[in-house]
Amino acid sequence: MMKPTRVLLTAASSLLASNLMAGEAVFYVTEDGNAMRDIAVSVNGQKQLVNSAGFTTFDIPAGAHKVELSQFGEWLGEFNFDTASSEENAEVQVDIVGGEAMPEVKIYLPGQVDAMAVGQIAGALMSEETGGPVSGARIAIEGTEQAVMTNENGEFAFELPRGEYALTIAHPNYGKRDVSGLRVMSGVTTGVNMTMSLSGNGVIEEVVAVGSYIPSTATAQERDSSAVLDSIGSEQMARFGDSSAASALKRVAGVSLVGGQFAVVRGLQGRYVSSTLNGGLMPSTDPMRRDVPLDLFPASVLGGINIQKSFTPDMPGDTTGGVIMMTTKDLPDGPTSKLSATLGMNSRTTFSDVNGYEGGSTDYLGLDDGTRELPSIVDSATNSGQDSLNYCNSSDCVTPAEGAALGQSFDHIYNVDQIQAKPEKGISYGFGDLIESGDGEYGYYGALQYKDKWEARHDGRTDDSGVSGTYERSKRKIDTTGYFVAGYESQSMILTSKTMLLRKTDDTIRTSAEYDENNNQQIDKATLQWVERQFLAQHFNGEHFLGDGAHKIDWRLNYGQTKRDEPDRRTYSYINGVLIPSTIERRFSELTEDAFEVGTDYTFDTMLNADTGLKLKTGLMYSVKDRTVDVARIGIDKASATLDMTQPIESIVQDANFASGDLTIQGRTSNTDSYEASDDIFAFYGSAGIDFTDVQVLVGARMESSEQTLTYPNRNTPDNTLKSDEVLPMASANFMISEDFQIRAGISQTLSRPGITERSESVQYDPETDEQIFGNPDLQISKISNLDLRAEYYFSEEENLSFAVFSKDITDPIERSIPDGSGSATDGSTFRNEDSATVQGLEIDFRKMVVASDYWEGFISGNMSWVDAEVNLSEDTARFEGKDSRRLQGQSEYLANLQFGFDHLASGQNLTLLVNYAGDRIFKALRSRSPEMEEGRVVVDLVYQYEANDNLTVKAKAGNLTDSAVRYSRDDVEIERYFEGTDFSASVEYQF
């Protein structure tokens, strides 16, 4: 250690009045010289737990005092001491020897010479990124002029009179931090080890003796961020039983999900929300959407999720509702090897009969074995379904023999059977290590996961516009994950490589039986759909600390590829018991999107003086996305009037009927089903932040150039291109009203670009519903003005309350609307720039400890949001919908979350009750009618964890406990309803 700095006793005398209180007893509990935790100290019947540093404090009157000590209810000893007056203080050091308390009591009067007995505060400052020491940091005793600089080993020390102190730490790179509540006792060294982050969002770990107090990482990130931020840590995802990024996000204030996949943030859907993974933009697996399906990212590979709701120049320009920043797991702290197994069931689905059909031999892996591939003979003959076939006996036609061969090349599996749904099962394995080498550390971490789960909609009913009936939808979900990260860390750099392969396969079968009273028709439909979604990514990231550490360069090189493979989607319908040939279709589609991004940031961080810091940041980013969609539609035509179409479908669609010429294969692909698209973005940005201790100001701007191009290779039309060059300014301020209370304010300009296919000049088909989607080549970029204000109060590192208000004015908002057409087009949709839209809302977020005893700890947390989002419709849309304004689609006016958590400290068990509510929202706008609404719903989950020992953890979860119905309505009349059942799961984790 460096030589201690002695504080003059005369200077200390001025501190005693503020640091010491008359009639105070300070207890410090140790065992073998080290601070103990979880010790209950009772003085005259008043009980308190020592903090994680081993200290606790009581106010005491004059007289005799009885002290009792226990740990988890086990008695450790008792003793007495006396104070002659209410002005006397006591220092009580208790050493636990052989399970019994051995006290040493010192009584003194403040202001007397013996009261100035000294102890020591000493410690070291370390870097969170490099693990090495931080030299040249100024450590000051708050309220005095006493200060030292950390030496080359990051060490510092003070000698101080007994009392309570606070430290202020400042460094050009690592910013400023405060540590309060440090106790100094005579003859005791208070050791303070601090870890700080170059990013400014690290945490300080205060260690007295060997005890430590580690605040919540997520809370620290929210508190120290320069923007309005909500954080979800991996620990929270584990405790709440969230299996993916999607299920975790719905617990954030102002966030809801559409279809269990896509986030709606502050009332704004995907076009206003951007997503990043390890700092880079991501491709999507949905041909009709620009946002990323978040259920693709399992919690097992996620290190955390930040939702930044206010714009800063280093974020994408479409950060209007917010940006969802996901990071995958980093290097471990040391050797790790963990195996986990999961079993689960659903109260309605598991072991019951659900829809099924004959698939391939590798379906259990989520991989089609070729059973569903488009036969090459059909692909060649129909030009991927684009060519109409002419059947005749001539050489220039398809002969009967050739027609028979085309039909017989398919397997003709259409029947939907009833099969038993199996229980959920899953297994995962994680491994890694961190190895010291020379001046740095090498590390790696890998994870593998497999999950197989059945879902179903039960008692599904529809009743809309004279069409009513029942339906059943069964879905088998197979998820596989592979993840690997390797890296090197030293004092001057951090290098990481992250590789991941995420696959999610859904095998969906839907059957329905509906009666159309308007046309006196009984309609029976069936759909067999197999969809494989895949995300493959390779990310390289680097951080370099230059010179004295004031300069930092970050760079990233990211490649990602998403695929959506939908082989052999089969549909057919019976009307009044007769199979309709035009409804028989087999569709084969594949989407591939490649995304490449390179970016770099330069940051200069320095202290202008002891109280003022300056942070400059500039950077650039170039992103290229290329999407290819290939679709082939193959239908079956009836060529014979004598064929009985009332038979079961597999009795009709069979080889013999193709051989006889009663049925023929026909291509149905339009020349716009397949397309190619690109989306290129170049951005340059800069910002300047000034920290005046009580006020932090950030100003900056982002210049963003973009170009979207859409091409149809099977259609001779010009490319559809949209270019833009935008400058997006912002300014924000953070006012530190006190150490625990701060107010944030921000103003910014953002934008929203139309999706690639939304500007197409042709008819697309929704891959899930087959609804016709008519593009609009005249769509323009929306401009948005944003105002944000949030007040935050921190009761402690684990307790907080925040209140936020926000307002957004949108010019030319893009909404899904009703096309101008007739016939089947009236059931489709298109996109328009509406006149304007306003979004405003309130958010309340809180967390409070409600129980703190020897045996139990308990907390309550949650959030509530109110969002008012209204769009003023354009003339065309108003004419079709019959109104001038309405709510934005997908926006719930009210959102709420509530969590109750209880921990039994002695046994390592915890229980968490979670309640989620999302209010009514528009599901679909309708022609000259009120919109179809998805009704609000409460979902209740219960999660249990038991840490049996350092190696074994048991978890259990009950999801959707109330099993309330999912309902859709129009004008408060129910038009659809189904139940999902309650999910029960249990898992065992073993750490080797």
Side-chain angles (χ1 to χ4, degrees):
M1 289 293 295
M2 63 186 293
K3 184 179 179 180
T5 299
R6 183 174 297 275
V7 178
L8 298 177
L9 294 180
T10 54
S13 298
S14 64
L15 289 172
L16 292 176
S18 60
N19 285 336
L20 299 175
M21 296 178 57
E24 182 182 73
V26 180
F27 289 79
Y28 177 45
V29 185
T30 63
E31 184 176 37
D32 297 327
N34 299 323
M36 292 192 69
R37 303 186 185 189
D38 305 317
I39 301 297
V41 180
S42 175
V43 178
N44 302 328
Q46 180 184 0
K47 182 183 292 186
Q48 295 184 40
L49 280 175
V50 300
N51 62 22
S52 55
F55 282 99
T56 190
T57 304
F58 292 82
D59 291 335
I60 56 173
H65 308 290
K66 181 179 181 181
V67 181
E68 298 175 287
L69 291 95
S70 62
Q71 185 179 41
F72 303 130
E74 181 180 350
W75 184 84
L76 296 178
E78 63 180 51
F79 60 92
N80 300 302
F81 70 92
D82 299 323
T83 53
S85 71
S86 61
E87 298 178 354
E88 285 190 333
N89 290 344
E91 273 187 350
V92 185
Q93 294 180 242
V94 183
D95 193 23
I96 306 299
V97 180
E100 294 187 9
M102 307 294 292
E104 179 181 351
V105 183
K106 297 178 182 179
I107 308 296
Y108 64 94
L109 281 171
Q112 294 185 351
V113 175
D114 64 348
M116 297 179 184
V118 296
Q120 190 178 74
I121 292 179
L125 185 64
M126 309 299 287
S127 169
E128 186 178 88
E129 284 81 2
T130 67
V134 177
S135 61
R138 185 178 186 270
I139 315 291
I141 303 295
E142 189 172 303
T144 76
E145 297 181 359
Q146 305 302 316
V148 296
M149 304 292 286
T150 55
N151 67 7
E152 61 184 5
N153 296 318
E155 298 168 340
F156 67 95
F158 297 90
E159 278 189 357
L160 299 165
R162 56 162 62 107
E164 185 174 353
Y165 298 87
L167 301 183
T168 298
I169 305 104
H171 189 276
N173 277 328
Y174 291 82
K176 298 177 66 177
R177 292 291 186 275
D178 296 323
V179 181
S180 60
L182 294 178
R183 279 284 174 182
V184 171
M185 296 182 70
S186 60
V188 173
T189 296
T190 301
V192 185
N193 295 329
M194 291 167 288
T195 302
M196 297 183 71
S197 170
L198 284 162
S199 62
N201 60 5
V203 298
I204 293 179
E205 300 177 4
E206 174 190 329
V207 180
V208 181
V210 297
S212 63
Y213 176 69
I214 305 175
S216 164
T217 301
T219 300
Q221 289 180 338
E222 294 175 9
R223 187 172 187 171
D224 296 339
S225 172
S226 60
V228 176
L229 185 77
D230 290 308
S231 294
I232 305 171
S234 57
E235 297 84 1
Q236 177 180 314
M237 285 187 281
R239 171 149 195 164
F240 291 176
D242 294 321
S243 60
S244 69
S247 58
L249 279 169
K250 69 181 181 182
R251 310 196 190 283
V252 176
V255 179
S256 60
L257 293 179
V258 173
Q261 296 178 302
F262 302 100
V264 179
V265 182
R266 290 183 162 181
L268 297 171
Q269 292 206 60
R271 71 177 70 257
Y272 303 99
V273 179
S274 55
S275 301
T276 65
L277 183 66
N278 297 325
L281 297 173
M282 291 180 289
S284 179
T285 58
D286 193 313
M288 302 309 301
R289 302 181 69 107
R290 62 175 296 279
D291 47 340
V292 177
L294 297 169
D295 64 327
L296 192 59
F297 301 91
S300 60
V301 303
L302 291 174
I305 308 173
N306 289 337
I307 303 91
Q308 183 175 311
K309 297 176 179 176
S310 60
F311 174 67
T312 53
D314 55 349
M315 293 293 105
D318 48 10
T319 302
T320 299
V323 56
I324 299 168
M325 299 178 287
M326 295 180 286
T327 57
T328 53
K329 290 186 175 179
D330 288 314
L331 304 180
D333 295 328
T336 181
S337 182
K338 183 171 70 175
L339 182 65
S340 175
T342 301
L343 282 175
M345 64 168 292
N346 181 277
S347 61
R348 292 178 181 265
T349 304
T350 308
F351 301 124
S352 67
D353 288 338
V354 297
N355 285 336
Y357 67 99
E358 183 181 344
S361 61
T362 56
D363 284 5
Y364 70 98
L365 295 175
L367 296 169
D368 177 56
D369 63 358
T371 299
R372 300 174 177 87
E373 286 185 1
L374 175 63
S376 58
I377 185 176
V378 177
D379 187 24
S380 176
T382 63
N383 188 21
S384 297
Q386 296 179 69
D387 296 344
S388 296
L389 301 182
N390 183 22
Y391 290 84
C392 67
N393 289 317
S394 173
S395 60
D396 58 350
C397 299
V398 177
T399 66
E402 292 171 339
L406 290 175
Q408 294 168 2
S409 65
F410 287 102
D411 54 23
H412 308 314
I413 295 175
Y414 292 92
N415 281 346
V416 177
D417 304 316
Q418 291 293 292
I419 63 174
Q420 188 183 77
K422 303 297 190 295
E424 173 190 354
K425 51 185 175 291
I427 188 169
S428 65
Y429 176 62
F431 58 93
D433 199 358
L434 191 67
I435 304 163
E436 294 188 9
S437 176
D439 296 330
E441 295 175 322
Y442 294 89
Y444 64 91
Y445 175 79
L448 300 170
Q449 177 178 297
Y450 169 82
K451 185 169 73 172
D452 185 354
K453 181 180 181 179
W454 282 88
E455 293 180 352
R457 293 182 177 181
H458 297 271
D459 300 329
R461 301 188 61 86
T462 58
D463 188 357
D464 186 24
S465 301
V467 180
S468 61
T470 62
Y471 75 90
E472 179 180 342
R473 194 193 76 172
S474 304
K475 180 182 290 189
R476 185 183 183 186
K477 304 171 68 174
I478 302 116
D479 302 346
T480 54
T481 300
Y483 175 71
F484 186 77
V485 55
Y488 170 75
E489 298 181 359
S490 71
Q491 294 187 28
S492 60
M493 73 175 69
I494 300 175
L495 302 174
T496 57
S497 167
K498 295 183 176 182
T499 307
M500 69 198 77
L501 175 64
L502 312 177
R503 288 185 54 85
K504 197 171 192 70
T505 300
D506 295 334
D507 189 8
T508 307
I509 309 101
R510 176 182 169 119
T511 57
S512 63
E514 297 177 324
Y515 177 68
D516 182 354
E517 64 179 16
N518 299 315
N519 297 301
N520 191 27
Q521 292 180 340
Q522 176 66 35
I523 305 171
D524 300 293
K525 297 180 181 179
T527 300
L528 286 64
Q529 181 185 37
W530 174 277
V531 177
E532 298 177 27
R533 290 182 287 151
Q534 176 178 294
F535 177 66
L536 173 66
Q538 175 61 61
H539 295 170
F540 296 104
N541 296 78
E543 300 178 55
H544 302 267
F545 316 111
L546 308 177
D548 58 358
H551 307 272
K552 180 186 177 187
I553 294 177
D554 299 304
W555 59 267
R556 62 186 180 276
L557 182 64
N558 295 340
Y559 170 75
Q561 183 191 75
T562 55
K563 283 191 174 183
R564 183 187 187 276
D565 189 16
E566 184 189 34
D568 206 1
R569 182 181 189 268
R570 282 155 275 180
T571 59
Y572 59 93
S573 299
Y574 280 82
I575 297 180
N576 293 331
V578 179
L579 178 64
I580 308 302
S582 62
T583 67
I584 308 173
E585 182 175 284
R586 307 183 80 140
R587 185 175 70 197
F588 305 81
S589 67
E590 183 177 71
L591 176 150
T592 302
E593 185 165 303
D594 293 285
F596 176 79
E597 180 181 330
V598 59
T600 183
D601 295 332
Y602 165 73
T603 305
F604 173 67
D605 200 342
T606 187
M607 297 297 293
L608 300 179
N609 54 51
D611 299 316
T612 306
L614 173 67
K615 184 175 182 179
L616 303 177
K617 184 175 183 179
T618 184
L620 57 86
M621 180 274 289
Y622 180 59
S623 169
V624 180
K625 292 183 181 178
D626 292 308
R627 174 184 289 190
T628 301
V629 175
D630 294 311
V631 178
R633 297 172 179 269
I634 307 298
I636 295 177
D637 286 352
K638 179 184 176 184
S640 169
T642 60
L643 184 61
D644 182 6
M645 301 299 285
T646 64
Q647 304 175 78
I649 186 169
E650 289 190 7
S651 298
I652 299 172
V653 183
Q654 58 172 298
D655 286 350
N657 288 331
F658 286 101
S660 64
D662 291 337
L663 295 177
T664 59
I665 293 294
Q666 193 58 262
R668 293 181 182 169
T669 310
S670 73
N671 59 6
T672 56
D673 280 341
S674 300
Y675 64 90
E676 297 174 357
S678 65
D679 190 358
D680 301 346
I681 298 176
F682 172 78
F684 175 77
Y685 45 89
S687 64
I690 303 179
D691 185 350
F692 297 106
T693 303
D694 293 332
V695 179
Q696 295 89 42
V697 178
L698 179 69
V699 295
R702 181 183 183 92
M703 186 280 290
E704 201 166 84
S705 297
S706 65
E707 180 176 339
Q708 296 178 355
T709 303
L710 187 67
T711 302
Y712 292 94
N714 301 321
R715 180 181 178 185
N716 186 22
T717 57
D719 292 349
N720 189 341
T721 301
L722 177 65
K723 296 182 179 181
S724 70
D725 294 290
E726 305 291 341
V727 176
L728 307 172
M730 63 77 58
S732 66
N734 187 17
F735 303 92
M736 304 295 296
I737 309 302
S738 68
E739 182 180 352
D740 301 319
F741 181 46
Q742 59 187 6
I743 296 177
R744 305 178 187 274
I747 182 171
S748 62
Q749 181 80 36
T750 56
L751 54 80
S752 174
R753 299 182 184 87
I756 291 174
T757 57
E758 293 173 355
R759 296 174 30 256
S760 67
E761 299 181 37
S762 61
V763 178
Q764 301 288 308
Y765 292 87
D766 188 291
E768 300 295 331
T769 65
D770 270 346
E771 178 188 66
Q772 293 186 82
I773 309 295
F774 300 88
N776 181 356
D778 298 324
L779 287 178
Q780 300 299 310
I781 292 176
S782 306
K783 307 290 181 61
I784 305 100
S785 297
N786 308 279
L787 291 173
D788 291 279
L789 183 68
R790 184 160 86 168
E792 302 168 358
Y793 184 78
Y794 295 89
F795 305 99
S796 70
E797 291 290 352
E798 294 184 348
E799 300 171 297
N800 62 281
L801 173 67
S802 69
F803 178 79
V805 296
F806 59 89
S807 176
K808 303 176 186 296
D809 290 320
I810 309 175
T811 303
D812 298 324
I814 301 171
E815 279 279 281
R816 196 161 180 166
S817 186
I818 298 166
D820 185 3
S822 59
S824 62
T826 61
D827 297 325
S829 60
T830 188
F831 303 90
R832 289 192 183 90
N833 286 108
E834 307 300 345
D835 285 352
S836 63
T838 57
V839 182
Q840 52 195 0
L842 308 173
E843 294 173 348
I844 300 175
D845 202 337
F846 66 92
R847 178 184 170 92
K848 188 74 175 71
M849 301 298 294
V850 294
V851 178
S853 69
D854 292 359
Y855 302 100
W856 292 92
E857 283 186 358
F859 71 87
I860 179 174
S861 64
N863 53 71
M864 293 166 283
S865 306
W866 169 77
V867 181
D868 180 23
E870 185 174 275
V871 56
N872 296 313
L873 301 175
S874 64
E875 182 178 343
D876 284 342
T877 302
R879 175 164 51 91
F880 296 136
E881 294 191 23
K883 59 181 70 69
D884 295 327
S885 64
R886 58 164 167 77
R887 287 162 56 180
L888 285 175
Q889 292 186 32
Q891 170 257 328
S892 295
E893 188 174 6
Y894 295 101
L895 299 170
N897 285 284
L898 198 61
Q899 297 100 30
F900 298 92
F902 298 94
D903 293 71
H904 188 242
L905 302 175
S907 64
Q909 299 180 82
N910 66 62
L911 189 69
T912 310
L913 180 70
L914 306 110
V915 183
N916 172 262
Y917 171 74
D920 297 353
R921 59 189 176 194
I922 294 179
F923 179 72
K924 182 181 178 182
L926 299 174
R927 183 181 294 268
S928 301
R929 291 185 292 174
S930 299
E932 183 177 337
M933 304 293 296
E934 181 180 354
E935 295 189 0
R937 183 166 173 254
V938 175
V939 177
V940 180
D941 301 335
L942 187 64
V943 183
Y944 167 79
Q945 293 188 51
Y946 171 42
E947 295 183 7
N949 52 51
D950 291 341
N951 303 102
L952 181 64
T953 302
V954 178
K955 300 180 181 180
K957 179 178 180 180
N960 191 27
L961 278 171
T962 58
D963 191 19
S964 57
V966 179
R967 287 187 170 92
Y968 297 84
S969 63
R970 190 176 65 254
D971 292 328
D972 296 325
V973 176
E974 181 180 283
I975 60 176
E976 183 179 353
R977 183 210 66 189
Y978 62 86
F979 293 89
E980 297 177 317
T982 299
D983 288 314
F984 300 94
S985 64
S987 66
V988 177
E989 295 180 357
Y990 188 78
Q991 185 91 29
F992 296 93

